[in-house]
Amino acid sequence: MMNITPSSINQVNYSLKELQDIFSAMNSSIIVAITDRTGKITFVNDHFCKISKYTREELLGQDHRLLNSGFHPRTFFREMWKTIGKGEMWSGEICNRAKDGGLYWVKTTIFPFLDDSGKPYQYIAIRVDITAQKDIKKITHIAYHDELTGLPNRRKLEQRLENEFHQSRRTGEKFALFFIDVNRFKNINDGLGHIIGDMFLVEMANRLRNVDYTSNSIYRHNSDEFVLILNDVDRIEDKAGEIISVFNKSFIVETYEFYASISIGISIFPDHANSVEELLKNADIAMYAAKSSRGNQYRLYRSNMEEINDKWLLLETKLHQALKNDILELHYQPKIDLKTNSIIGMEALLRWHDPELGYMPPDHFIPFAEQCGLINDIGVWVIRKASAQARTWNDLHNLNLRVAVNISPIHISTTGFVEMVHEVIKETNIDPHFLEFEITEMSMLDYTEDLINTIKQLRALGITISLDDFGTGYSSLNYLKTFPVDVLKIDRAFVRDIVPEKSGIAMISAMISLAHALNLQVVAEGVEEEAELNVLREHGCEYVQGFYFSKPLSVEDFTKLIVNRTM
Ligand code: C2E
Ligand code: CA
Ligand code: CA
């Protein structure tokens, strides 16, 4: 093959005719065309005709743009013309379109021919067909990449792990595998639809890619599972922190804005595994442990995790069944009006007795239900059950009892919460004025506009909102003014401090005054002693709840209580 460089062409100064003869005589796979300075074709060799499927007559005199495929952005050719227009050689891969519409790829080098003043007066383009290579590249890309997110896929991950495994065996260097899983992805997918779910995953993949932009080590393992390979095991904690912090920002997908969180399980080779399979399995186990432990978003594998996970899985299954089979129960604790000493309402509290596990306290299984996503179904069940019960009691005994339901911050933040409540109200026919939602002060601390809006809508329906466990979250006064609430529930911890030797009395008194100044009603919870009651009454607290009056009671016992009290 001839060795042509721009300088050699210009130096030798062949006549156009001579060049054409040379190229015509070259019986190789090289594709050659010559155009004038405007791009009009003045010469093509046979191979050019063959690949473009145009006859020579159809091509000569035509603008070379005839072959444009539309594949490249306009800027691509603008750059090319800028280069050759200056008299410099240009080289690149171009996708052209043949006469029959088919696309073909050519590696192209264009040499400008310069006139005496140094300006190009014609261009020779020499091309080689690379279509086959391109297809192979494309096929390999598809095979090893995830279509939705563009990330390398599981197959590619397996390759990488094999390589890392052998390298680690050779060099003794460790590497870590992060198993990253979206918490409650099912809720996003089911609640907002698969299209939104997909768009969320794309955005999530982009964020993960940014965390890892230097090393190309993020893989999509499965629907909402991603894997990161980290060679620098000293950076495990930093990396986990970086990944988690990426989720501090809300996701905006179409018209939805929401937060998503993840759980990460990490295993190290060879510390935690002898094989690639085991490494993946143990990272998965650690991920599951991270998911079940509240507030711990990443976990390094430990050998007893499997056992713990089995327990969580058992718990999840059992809780699921308890809900399905109506084994969960609500007990009701009366709230007393201190002025009249009568029952004005009751708080519904979940009870779960499992035949094997025994009594499971709600402050154990509620956080777990929040983690595994069962809380939404449980929440709906509680609201429905409590509303129906309150309606029955009020109707049967001609009462005006208001039932208070504890609402999980996770549940109230789901889309469609207000609509669901509206449905339940219609279905159970309860007057919303007899319905109260208790939301903990803690969960209001990192409130969002959306949460405030939801609460406003609930209040507009007629539902009373109370701030539960008040005093434990250290709300500032300013916050309190912004929260659209009706009732403050003073936490038991403050009531317990009402003893002469502690400064609790001053504290309670301040809280009550504060609530009244903000036009809020006050409920003190966990009242056990008469002495506590007296102090509360003295300082103007209007409602109390606690063992002093009654423990939470079953439906049967609560019925007896109201019948006796009101008759
Ligand atoms: P909470 O909302 O602060 O409920 C009050 C807790 O204090 C209840 O515990 C109640 O039985 C207990 N208590 C009432 N009076 C006294 C008293 O005088 N002394 C003492 N020592 N304790 C008293 P329980 O029923 O074990 O519930 C614990 C927590 O579980 C609740 O705290 C609430 O956060 C959560 N929970 C209960 N039921 C539900 C529910 O249906 N949904 C949600 N999201 N959370 C619930
Ligand atoms: Ca409560
Ligand atoms: Ca409380």
Side-chain angles (χ1 to χ4, degrees):
M1 197 168 80
M2 239 171 93
N3 190 11
I4 310 173
T5 64
S7 49
S8 67
I9 293 180
N10 283 320
Q11 268 165 21
V12 177
N13 223 351
Y14 291 103
S15 74
L16 182 59
K17 180 78 182 57
E18 280 165 335
L19 270 176
Q20 290 177 352
D21 287 346
I22 294 171
F23 289 129
S24 300
M26 272 168 37
N27 192 14
S28 72
S29 59
I30 286 188
I31 303 156
V32 184
I34 301 178
T35 68
D36 68 11
R37 71 153 61 86
T38 65
K40 201 172 283 163
I41 300 173
T42 53
F43 169 83
V44 287
N45 71 347
D46 289 345
H47 213 78
F48 192 107
C49 298
K50 207 166 126 202
I51 193 166
S52 70
K53 305 213 162 68
Y54 286 101
T55 63
R56 180 164 282 115
E57 290 66 42
E58 283 171 321
L59 288 167
L60 292 179
Q62 287 295 329
D63 194 304
H64 198 284
R65 270 167 274 216
L66 175 70
L67 300 163
N68 279 3
S69 63
F71 179 89
H72 304 280
R74 229 178 259 268
T75 46
F76 178 84
F77 289 112
R78 211 178 289 145
E79 283 304 309
M80 178 192 91
W81 275 105
K82 221 162 96 188
T83 309
I84 58 177
K86 278 191 295 199
E88 290 166 16
M89 183 187 88
W90 180 92
S91 196
E93 294 179 352
I94 300 183
C95 179
N96 278 342
R97 190 182 297 282
K99 189 181 174 186
D100 65 358
L103 298 178
Y104 61 93
W105 279 89
V106 277
K107 183 155 177 58
T108 304
T109 308
I110 302 176
F111 306 100
F113 270 56
L114 309 180
D115 61 20
D116 292 342
S117 63
K119 290 221 176 70
Y121 66 93
Q122 69 177 12
Y123 302 98
I124 299 188
I126 294 177
R127 300 174 164 90
V128 184
D129 183 4
I130 53 164
T131 311
Q133 272 159 265
K134 275 280 174 193
D135 281 350
I136 289 165
K137 252 197 204 154
K138 205 164 92 196
I139 290 165
T140 345
H141 188 86
I142 291 171
Y144 288 102
H145 286 80
D146 164 50
E147 211 182 336
L148 179 69
T149 62
L151 287 177
N153 60 14
R154 193 179 183 147
R155 205 176 288 137
K156 186 90 179 164
L157 172 67
E158 281 161 10
Q159 268 188 359
R160 167 82 181 266
L161 285 174
E162 278 307 314
N163 290 343
E164 296 289 349
F165 171 81
H166 290 299
Q167 188 167 333
S168 173
R169 277 280 143 96
R170 249 193 350 264
T171 62
E173 275 168 21
K174 300 179 180 187
F175 69 96
L177 187 148
F178 287 47
F179 207 99
I180 305 165
D181 187 277
V182 183
N183 299 332
R184 295 182 290 280
F185 178 66
K186 200 173 162 300
N187 288 357
I188 298 176
N189 230 7
D190 294 353
L192 306 178
H194 289 258
I195 296 175
I196 301 292
D198 278 358
M199 289 164 87
F200 159 74
L201 287 175
V202 171
E203 169 65 15
M204 167 168 174
N206 287 339
R207 290 188 187 184
L208 290 177
R209 214 184 256 126
N210 277 342
V211 172
D212 170 57
Y213 62 97
T214 46
S215 60
N216 243 336
S217 291
I218 289 276
Y219 300 80
R220 185 169 180 212
H221 186 255
N222 239 330
S223 104
D224 63 328
E225 297 165 357
F226 296 80
V227 163
L228 169 83
I229 305 289
L230 185 72
N231 290 99
D232 185 357
V233 290
D234 291 337
R235 294 209 57 234
I236 284 181
E237 293 201 348
D238 293 348
K239 204 44 140 188
E242 276 172 42
I243 295 174
I244 287 164
S245 70
V246 150
F247 289 81
N248 291 343
K249 222 179 78 195
S250 66
F251 285 80
I252 300 172
V253 183
E254 297 271 87
T255 53
Y256 301 100
E257 178 172 8
F258 53 89
Y259 284 85
S261 66
I262 47 160
S263 301
I264 307 176
I266 305 164
S267 60
I268 301 173
F269 188 88
D271 299 6
H272 301 144
N274 290 317
S275 67
V276 164
E277 292 72 34
E278 202 181 353
L279 188 71
L280 261 167
K281 190 183 116 219
N282 289 346
D284 190 23
I285 288 173
M287 185 279 289
Y288 203 78
K291 210 171 268 256
S292 349
S293 75
R294 206 179 180 196
N296 223 332
Q297 293 194 58
Y298 74 90
R299 278 293 184 93
L300 206 58
Y301 176 76
R302 275 200 329 262
S303 54
N304 66 342
M305 268 178 178
E306 226 156 335
E307 257 168 68
I308 299 171
N309 277 348
D310 285 349
K311 261 194 226 145
W312 284 116
L313 195 64
L314 178 74
L315 199 60
E316 183 174 347
T317 318
K318 282 196 170 279
L319 188 52
H320 197 89
Q321 282 167 350
L323 181 66
K324 216 172 69 189
N325 303 330
D326 236 14
I327 289 169
L328 295 180
E329 258 187 87
L330 286 181
H331 279 197
Y332 297 88
Q333 187 177 37
K335 294 190 189 184
I336 315 292
D337 183 339
L338 282 185
K339 277 196 216 89
T340 60
N341 256 344
S342 59
I343 302 172
I344 50 121
M346 58 280 177
E347 176 174 7
L349 293 158
L350 261 172
R351 294 293 174 259
W352 177 25
H353 288 277
D354 181 84
E356 286 166 46
L357 304 173
Y359 175 65
M360 304 289 293
D363 37 16
H364 277 60
F365 73 82
I366 295 283
F368 173 73
E370 288 175 338
Q371 282 293 322
C372 71
L374 275 173
I375 192 64
N376 297 355
D377 291 345
I378 293 178
V380 176
W381 182 89
V382 172
I383 299 171
R384 181 180 289 127
K385 194 92 176 172
S387 301
Q389 187 60 61
R391 166 109 216 272
T392 307
W393 277 327
N394 285 343
D395 283 2
L396 281 182
H397 304 285
N398 197 21
L399 296 168
N400 292 319
L401 299 178
R402 189 165 78 194
V403 67
V405 176
N406 292 288
I407 303 290
S408 154
I410 289 174
H411 191 197
I412 199 172
S413 308
T414 52
T415 20
F417 182 83
V418 178
E419 288 73 17
M420 178 276 294
V421 171
H422 194 70
E423 278 301 306
V424 173
I425 289 173
K426 270 203 303 201
E427 187 189 308
T428 56
N429 214 356
I430 189 177
D431 177 344
H433 292 99
F434 297 137
L435 196 52
E436 175 172 339
F437 284 174
E438 297 191 0
I439 304 162
T440 62
E441 185 196 21
M442 277 297 206
S443 62
M444 293 284 263
L445 284 188
D446 51 355
Y447 72 95
T448 59
E449 265 322 291
D450 281 351
L451 179 60
I452 300 286
N453 277 337
T454 300
I455 292 177
K456 281 183 181 156
Q457 284 173 284
L458 292 169
R459 286 179 90 207
L461 290 177
I463 297 170
T464 306
I465 304 291
S466 65
L467 204 53
D468 203 354
D469 300 346
F470 182 72
T472 55
Y474 307 105
S475 303
S476 78
L477 255 174
N478 273 341
Y479 271 141
L480 266 188
K481 270 189 252 162
T482 347
F483 292 155
V485 299
D486 309 282
V487 181
L488 280 194
K489 276 193 91 173
I490 298 180
D491 192 69
R492 197 170 76 222
F494 296 93
V495 175
R496 218 186 300 140
D497 276 354
I498 306 184
V499 277
E501 57 278 16
K502 297 215 179 166
S503 57
I505 298 180
M507 190 67 189
I508 282 267
S509 149
M511 280 181 172
I512 296 170
S513 318
L514 165 67
H516 288 163
L518 292 165
N519 264 332
L520 303 173
Q521 301 165 21
V522 186
V523 182
E525 64 178 346
V527 178
E528 294 182 358
E529 314 279 340
E530 188 161 6
E532 295 165 356
L533 188 70
N534 292 336
V535 170
L536 288 164
R537 187 179 271 134
E538 205 179 299
H539 288 89
C541 171
E542 47 260 88
Y543 308 108
V544 291
Q545 188 186 337
F547 294 169
Y548 179 75
F549 286 98
S550 168
K551 296 208 161 182
L553 302 170
S554 66
V555 169
E556 199 187 331
D557 289 342
F558 194 88
T559 309
K560 280 186 201 149
L561 181 77
I562 50 176
V563 168
N564 292 338
R565 280 218 166 210
T566 48
M567 273 177 21

